[in-house]
Structures are given as C-alpha cells and as structure tokens.
Amino acid sequence: MATVVESVKETLVGVEDEGAGLSSASRADFMHNAVKDEEADEWYMTEKEFVDAIAPEGEDYHKIKREQYSILFDIADRQHKGRVSLQDWSVFNNLLAKPDAEYEIAFRLFADPATGQVDFNSFKESYARNKKTESIPFNWDSDWATLYLGGKKHRHSMTYPQFAQLLRGLQGERVRQAFLHFDSNGDGYIDPEDFQRIIHETASHKLSDHLLDNLPTLCNISPGSKISYANVRAFQNVIKEMDLVELVIRNAIGKSDDGKITRVDFLNEAARITRFTLFTPMEVDILFHFASLDQPSGRLGITDFARVLDASWHHTGADLAQTGIAGAAEKAVAKSGSVMQDIMISAHHFGLGAIAGAFGAFMVYPIDLVKTRMQNQRGARVGQMLYKNSIDCFSKVIRNEGFRGLYSGVLPQLVGVAPEKAIKLTINDLVRGKYTDIKTGNIALSAEILAGATAGTCQVIFTNPLEIVKIRLQVQGEAMKAAAREGETVTKRSAMWIVRHLGLIGLYKGAMACMLRDAPFSAIYFPTYSHLKRDYFGESPTKKLGILQLLTAGAIAGMPAAYLTTPCDVIKTRLQVEARKGEASYTGIRDAARQIYKEEGFKAFFKGGPARIMRSSPQFGFTLAGYELLQGLLPLPGEHAAEKEPGPRGSIEPATGLQEAKAPLQYLRSRNALKIILDLDIGFGRPKITAENASRARGWMAPLRGAVAGSSDGKA
C-alpha cells in the first residue's frame, strides 16, 4: 500500500529528495542559469532564468515563441513562490524523463495537487484566462465535451488518462465547431479565408509556413470556390497522420530511380505498409496539392514534401543541403555568403578544374592533332592535299612520325589546358550558382547561356597562347616533310622558341576568332550538359549520377557544341598557323573567311568537323566527369561540416528535409508538451493586455500626447 501511495505522490508532486535523479549535465544547466539569494544562501531561478535553461537562445522559435515556454515555469514552481530551487529543478527534470512527459506536463498545468484530478470549472477558468480574446468561440457544453466531462448536472473531474484522451481529440472538435461557426447558412461550405483562420487558430504551431500561407488554395482541388466539410476533415486527417505519411513517402522515394514519386506511387506504397489506416483519394489529393504548388509535373521529391510535413520548414541558408540544387559545385557557390568565401570556393574549383582539364586533354590529344592538320590542309593547289580524310591523316602520322608523333606538342598543351579548363569551369559554376534558385535548384535558360558564354570568353586569356603554340607544333611535322620533298631543310622548333619568336602580341594573334569559337561553344555545351543530367538521366538532390552517366552526358553535349562552332575554329587555325611558302596570308577574321570561301567553298568551313566532334566530345566527357568526381573526393575543407551545422534552427528542430532531431530529450519533450497545450488555444503563454495594464498604458501615454500636441501648436 505504501508503494502505491508513494507512486501516486511521485506522479502528482514529484520526488522530494534534493538532486535525486539529477544528472551532472542538468545540475550544470541549473547552476549556469541560477542566481544566488545571499540572505538565504540558496541558488534559484526566476521565470527568466528558467526559460533560458529549457529554451536556450539560438534555437528557432518561429513556431512556438520563446516566451511561451514560461508556461512550464508554473509547473516547475511547485510552491508558487515565483522561483525554482535546485530541488524543484530536479523534480521537473525527473518529470521530463518520463516516456509520457508531454501529456503529464499538460495535466499538471490544470490538475489540483491535492486531488490529483482536473476540475472542470477550474480548467474552464484557466482556459478563458489564457485564450486569445479574438479566438473562435468553443462550446464546452457541446455533446462532444459532455461525453468526456458529463452533463451540466453531472460534471465530474478528470483523471490523468481521461484528460490526456480529451486533449488527444480536442483539436478535431475545435475544427468541427469552428466550421459550424462560419457555415452560417448551413450549406456545408465555408470561404477559403475562413478555413485559413480556423487552421491558423488550431494548428499554426504544428504546421509549416508553406502550408499555412497556401491554405486558401485548398478550394482548387474540387469544382467551386468554397471549401466543404469533407475537404476540412480530409485535411485534418492528413496533418494528424503526418508521421505515417512521411514513412510512406520515404519508402516510396527509396524505391524510385530518380528520387521522385507520383500519386500512384504513394498509394501503392501505402497499401504495402498499412493494414488499418487507408488514405482516401481526397486526402492524397490534398497532400500532393500542397506539395506540388510550384512543381506541376506531378513527380515530387523529398524537398517538395518537406514543405508540407516539416513544421520547421522555412527558407534559410541552412536549408541548402536539402534544396533542389544537385551539383556540388553550384551548391557551394549558392551557399556562399561573402566575397572571401566566393574567392576560396573559386580557387578550390580552379584547382580541381585544372586537374580534370589536363586529364581530359591528354586522353584525346591524338584526335586533336589529326583535327588540326586536317583544318590546316589547303586544297586550292595540286600537291597540297596530303590527307584524304581524318583516318588517312591518323595512319600517315603514325607511318611517318611514329606513335610519338600523335603527341607532338602535348606538354605545352597540358601546361596550358589546365588553367584554360579551370577558368572555364570555375566561371561557369560561379555565374550559374548566383543565378540558381536556392529553393528549387532551377535556373533560367538565358542565365545558363550567359554563364556558359561568360566562361568561354574568359578562357581566351589562356586558350589563345596555348592554341597558337600547340597548332604550330602540331603542323611542324608535315611542314618538315613537305620541305624535304622540295630539297629544303626546316629546323624543328621547340615550344619556348615559338613563344619567344611570337612575343606577347603574337601569342594573341587570332584571339577574336578564338573568342568567337569558345563563347558560343560554352554557351551551347554547359546548358546541354546540365539538362541531359537533370532531364534525361534524372539527377536530383537525392540521386547521384555514376561515372558512365556523367561521361555520356558530357560526350553528347560536346557534339552539337563542337560541330556548330567548327567554322570559327577553322578561321582561328588559319590565322594562327604560320603560312608556308606559296600559301596565302590572312589579315583578319573577315579576310580569312572571304578567302576560304572564295578558294575552297563553303564546305571548307567544316573541315575537321568530325575530328573536332571526336576530340571535343570525349574530352569534355572526361573533363566534366573527372571534375564532378573530384568535387566529391576532394571537397573544400569544412564544406561538408558546414552543411551539418544546425544554423538558425539550432538543435531542437532538425534541418529542413524530415530529419531526426538531435537535441536532448528534455528540450524535445518541453517543446512537444507546449504543442499539446497550444492545441487548447495558441494564446497560452503569450503576454496578455489586461484592462488594468491598458489603463496604466493610457496613463503613461497621456503626458506624452500632451507634449506632442504642445510641440505641434508651437510650430504652428
């Protein structure tokens, strides 16, 4: 019997032993926030210090305001002295450790410590004191309330289990009564604005900003401009089963190839994992309606659903890890918050781009050599046709110069191509990142083209000197062979000799033609590559592409970009190659284009086009695949750690994306207990403007108004 009495006592007033069950961490929290009463030589916390202890600053309180945590002070302050001692703190922490702490905290707020029950009249008075003055009225004499509390003549107090069950069903009854309140003509329909007010008053502390802002659009899921009770009840069922909905979504997305699901996928997965809870068509329509407001395709990912299911969802920099930005490079740029961070990210991307660019160039260098020799071949005079086609050129290079001849001039190419590709990739990522929508990962096609064109223009700084040296080295072999046939001797030149011979100005000969080739090439290539990854291969924040998919996307994107810019490449090559004896020289882009067309015809502008495709296509495939793999293998130091930081949301609420909260249980249970209490009315814990306070405020303002009036009269 004594054990039962002690158990009841513990349930009602907690454990009395000082520090009993109090961990060293909880004791440290108390001492960190407490102040000392020097006269009594006792440490204690007032309401302010108590709120600091259970609701630390730095968390996200945009759903439940920080001052509302003061409700819990009334529970911890067992003696109602306006202060919480170490013993009180110990008892409160012991209460938070209970598995049903959330409901027991709400029960203790209204229960009579002497009887251990909730008296209806006291409960109703407390409710009236705390509710917002403009709240939608609630009838405590309704049939629903009578079932829990008894009729007017037979009211009874509620035990803890009875009170907890009442709270469990209270929100649904509040919604039902509010609907009847606004359905003045009894036709079973209300206006969208009235529905929004109902949900704001009954569930705003549990729902995301996205959902609350778009509540009036519920009228669009069915014909007409009003909302029926069936719509309201279906919406209520969805938010009541949020945890089950999330489970179904996660399972279905886990089985999807592209990390997205349709309405049919959701229903099929729900049928597999539920036995007693079946979602109605209207409930599923409502879920997909709110998740797809700006995603009309009907295929939705975890980020789309997070806006509906995750109450902590709102736009902050910390949300970027869960946004629609799939590329690591673009995500890093979009996350940047300062110029210095932009510089660090760009330097990192530059280094990775240099490695990837050198690798891609080496893999396709023989094809590039064949392309250059084909483009430099002039067919106007007899004896100038050395090669019939690209295959013939390839075989003759090996026959006359050996296998090493295919890599003539490769060293300066690798030295030069590293910064060339690096600046192209870095500038493209930088511009794309600044124009990308951080919420959806979308970027306008015009911005994609601008990013590519800007990258292509900037790379000319490195490309032109590299190209002119490389081209002269590549054609050197055939020039020596031609000279030998005519009995002349031509000295083989090194890359450094060519650089010294040309000088700084000479290294930029044909730069304009080079820019006319590189700017449109990148403007075509990068948007095509991005859309192939996203639209064809299905890349998303939840789906990472493999090496073969990246290679394929890069190679396919290079085909139209390479072929369509071949005319500019031909003109550039002719301008940069040193004219041999008897060959015409060109004074500029226009003169070169005119003479080529006049002497060789329109087809000459596409000489080496197939070889250019065969070179550029795989080169950019290797380069981009290598670049994206390096982004994952060699991230910027601290980049991934920054993604894991809680940010403004802190640790109580997880980052957007339906993740598990990592905060200590006492914080989580304090928050969840407040959610249950706020189901009664969202006014609980908010400062109230009483008649006395209002009168006092008017008294304070009167002299101020008089002074302002006197000042105005004086000015007049």
Side-chain angles (χ1 to χ4, degrees), residues 127 130-138 174 181-182 197 201 680-683:
Y127 169 79
N130 285 279
K131 77 180 187 69
K132 294 175 67 176
T133 54
E134 68 276 14
S135 292
I136 300 170
F138 183 79
R174 287 187 65 198
H181 174 76
F182 288 112
R197 182 182 171 189
E201 288 199 16
L680 286 164
D681 194 279
I682 58 175

Side-chain angles (χ1 to χ4, degrees), residues 25 136 148 202 220 234 253 273 283 455 462 575:
I136 300 170
Y148 285 95
T202 58
N220 294 329
I253 285 178
I273 67 174
E283 290 165 2
F462 297 101
L575 287 171

